[in-house]
Amino acid sequence: MGKLKKTFIYVFLTAVAIISIFPFIWMVISSTNLSVDVTQGRMLPGSHFVQNFTKLVNSVNLFQAFGNSLKISLSTTVLAR
């Protein structure tokens, strides 16, 4: 395989990796900012993680949400076999 072809493959794979991981990075950074900062596209970590997590715990039943996800993933895995 030529050196140019190898370089192109590595550049392509790097671009795909960055595009694939960007939503996760955005989610983590957004969890530390206020809603107004997220809607304005702020890409720097904020200092509101504890406040945001407290709001989440008080407004959503996390155990039920995790339980529902577990039920769906287990049933899908069992049925796929």
Side-chain angles (χ1 to χ4, degrees), residues 1-17:
M1 188 174 341
K3 193 171 192 174
L4 182 62
K5 190 173 181 180
K6 260 189 178 179
T7 302
F8 174 74
I9 290 172
Y10 283 118
V11 168
F12 175 75
L13 290 175
T14 301
V16 169

Side-chain angles (χ1 to χ4, degrees), residues 7-71:
T7 302
F8 174 74
I9 290 172
Y10 283 118
V11 168
F12 175 75
L13 290 175
T14 301
V16 169
I18 290 170
I19 290 169
S20 297
I21 201 166
F22 179 76
F24 179 74
I25 293 169
W26 178 263
M27 178 185 64
V28 170
I29 290 173
S30 295
S31 72
T32 66
N33 288 313
L34 296 174
S35 296
V36 69
D37 294 331
V38 174
T39 56
Q40 292 176 353
R42 181 180 168 151
M43 280 297 298
L44 298 172
S47 60
H48 300 282
F49 178 75
V50 173
Q51 177 186 359
N52 291 341
F53 189 74
T54 303
K55 279 185 192 177
L56 173 68
V57 169
N58 291 331
S59 65
V60 176
N61 186 346
L62 288 179
F63 290 113
Q64 182 180 4
F66 285 128
N68 291 342
S69 296
L70 184 64
K71 287 178 199 174

